[in-house]
Amino acid sequence: MKTFLDFLRKYNFFFLFLLLEAVSFILLFRFNSYQGSVWYTAANNTAATVNKLYYEAMSYLNLGDVNGRLTHQNTLLTQENAYLRARLGELSHQPTPTELNVRQTLANYKLLDAVVVSNSTKKTNNYIVIDKGSSDGVRPEMGVVGGGGVVGIVYLTGPHYSLVIPVTNRKSSISCRVRGLGFFGYLQWSGEKLLHAYVNDIPRYAKIKKGSIVETSGYSAVFPPGIFIGRVNSVGNSPDGQSYRLDITLGTDFATLRNVCVVMTPYQAEIDTLKAHAAEQDTHDALNGLERIQ
């Protein structure tokens, strides 16, 4: 406190000068109209300049928030544009003969529309994820088809998504036949070219030509008979040399696959019940066999 008082005592004349100057300016601008108008004009211009600089600085500091909102709006508009383009493409799309055949074959089956949200095409064992799950009625071992024919089989289900084993997976094995000839086998992927699979164990007396249609055989509960799979590209020897091997060009283009349908077979509940009864019977027979041994 003593230091502060010494400071005031030392510079008291300077502070007195400032006080008298301030009083003089107040008297000058308050009681003289011309000087007063000059003062107010200068003060207003200065205040306006300061306010402008302040708002420009605040606007610059808020550019991050503005850019964030603009980015969000742009993302929403991009998604909406993509959705509208997709819907326009679906509405203007003319179904191919294959699509018409698939629809006719599945006329008595309930089809659940789904969208592919993930699709691998460059692996040995590819997988597809669709946006329908157990809450929509999808269960494992249900067939999945598209506009080009067979796509694959549901492997795992979650509440809202399902994992599909497509034809382009080395683990896939779909019962099929050559249309109009009755020869059947199991379709498997070669693991090399995306659109090429093969069927082994075709008898040598079978007269199969290039371009023959390969379709589902109906020997399983997954697919009904007659759904298009692909066409025979060439006929060669199977690895054991005892039968023919058919090289198949698949009808589904997995590289551009987007919209699919899950085949909701009306007999699935009955099939599941029969399988459960068969499992119970096998367990019962096994227990009886153990009792007889003992």
Side-chain angles (χ1 to χ4, degrees), residues 149 187 229:
L187 182 80
I229 294 177

Side-chain angles (χ1 to χ4, degrees), residues 246-266:
L246 306 182
D247 180 57
I248 310 300
T249 300
L250 300 174
T252 300
D253 186 359
F254 289 90
T256 60
L257 188 62
R258 178 64 177 170
N259 299 100
V260 296
C261 294
V262 181
V263 182
M264 316 285 282
T265 172

Side-chain angles (χ1 to χ4, degrees), residues 37 109 115 282:
S37 63
Y109 289 78
V115 176
D282 290 342

Side-chain angles (χ1 to χ4, degrees), residues 33-97:
S33 58
Y34 175 75
Q35 287 80 358
S37 63
V38 171
W39 163 255
Y40 286 121
T41 301
N44 288 333
N45 290 336
T46 303
T49 302
V50 171
N51 286 333
K52 179 181 179 182
L53 293 175
Y54 171 78
Y55 285 116
E56 288 179 351
M58 294 302 297
S59 297
Y60 178 78
L61 294 176
N62 291 329
L63 282 179
D65 295 335
V66 174
N67 287 336
R69 289 194 296 270
L70 290 175
T71 300
H72 179 67
Q73 293 177 357
N74 186 52
T75 302
L76 293 178
L77 290 174
T78 301
Q79 292 176 340
E80 183 179 0
N81 184 47
Y83 172 77
L84 292 175
R85 284 179 177 274
R87 290 293 299 160
L88 179 62
E90 292 174 4
L91 294 174
S92 60
H93 173 68
Q94 295 296 326
T96 64

Side-chain angles (χ1 to χ4, degrees), residues 11 26 32-33 48 53 69 71 82 102 120 143 147 161-162 166 174 184 187 239 253 261 269 290 293:
Y11 295 100
I26 291 173
N32 294 277
S33 58
L53 293 175
R69 289 194 296 270
T71 300
V102 171
S120 61
Y161 296 91
S162 296
I174 296 176
F184 69 94
L187 182 80
D253 186 359
C261 294
L290 288 175
I293 293 174

Side-chain angles (χ1 to χ4, degrees), residues 68-274:
R69 289 194 296 270
L70 290 175
T71 300
H72 179 67
Q73 293 177 357
N74 186 52
T75 302
L76 293 178
L77 290 174
T78 301
Q79 292 176 340
E80 183 179 0
N81 184 47
Y83 172 77
L84 292 175
R85 284 179 177 274
R87 290 293 299 160
L88 179 62
E90 292 174 4
L91 294 174
S92 60
H93 173 68
Q94 295 296 326
T96 64
T98 299
E99 291 181 78
L100 295 175
N101 177 264
V102 171
R103 292 178 186 178
Q104 183 178 2
T105 303
L106 297 172
N108 296 325
Y109 289 78
K110 179 183 177 182
L111 300 179
L112 177 65
D113 293 331
V115 176
V116 174
V117 298
S118 177
N119 180 17
S120 61
T121 59
K122 298 181 180 180
K123 300 179 180 180
T124 302
N125 293 318
N126 295 299
Y127 290 96
I128 292 174
V129 178
I130 59 176
D131 66 345
K132 293 294 186 294
S134 56
S135 60
D136 304 293
V138 180
R139 289 179 294 187
E141 298 186 11
M142 284 186 170
V144 180
V145 299
V150 171
V151 172
I153 299 174
V154 176
Y155 181 56
L156 295 173
T157 60
H160 307 292
Y161 296 91
S162 296
L163 183 70
V164 178
I165 293 182
V167 174
T168 55
N169 186 306
R170 294 297 296 271
K171 298 178 182 179
S172 174
S173 182
I174 296 176
S175 178
C176 60
R177 68 187 181 191
V178 180
R179 180 177 293 178
L181 298 179
F183 300 108
F184 69 94
Y186 288 93
L187 182 80
Q188 294 181 311
W189 187 48
S190 63
E192 299 173 357
K193 296 181 180 180
L194 186 62
L195 297 181
H196 286 269
Y198 63 89
V199 178
N200 283 325
D201 301 327
I202 300 297
R204 285 193 169 275
Y205 58 82
K207 297 181 180 180
I208 299 175
K209 299 179 180 180
K210 180 180 179 179
S212 297
I213 294 176
V214 178
E215 61 187 12
T216 54
S217 65
Y219 289 160
S220 69
V222 179
F223 295 104
I227 300 180
F228 184 82
I229 294 177
R231 293 181 179 273
V232 175
N233 182 53
S234 63
V235 180
N237 291 323
S238 61
D240 59 9
Q242 302 299 316
S243 58
Y244 283 143
R245 173 173 177 162
L246 306 182
D247 180 57
I248 310 300
T249 300
L250 300 174
T252 300
D253 186 359
F254 289 90
T256 60
L257 188 62
R258 178 64 177 170
N259 299 100
V260 296
C261 294
V262 181
V263 182
M264 316 285 282
T265 172
Y267 313 112
Q268 189 65 43
E270 181 180 350
I271 293 170
D272 292 342
T273 301
L274 291 174

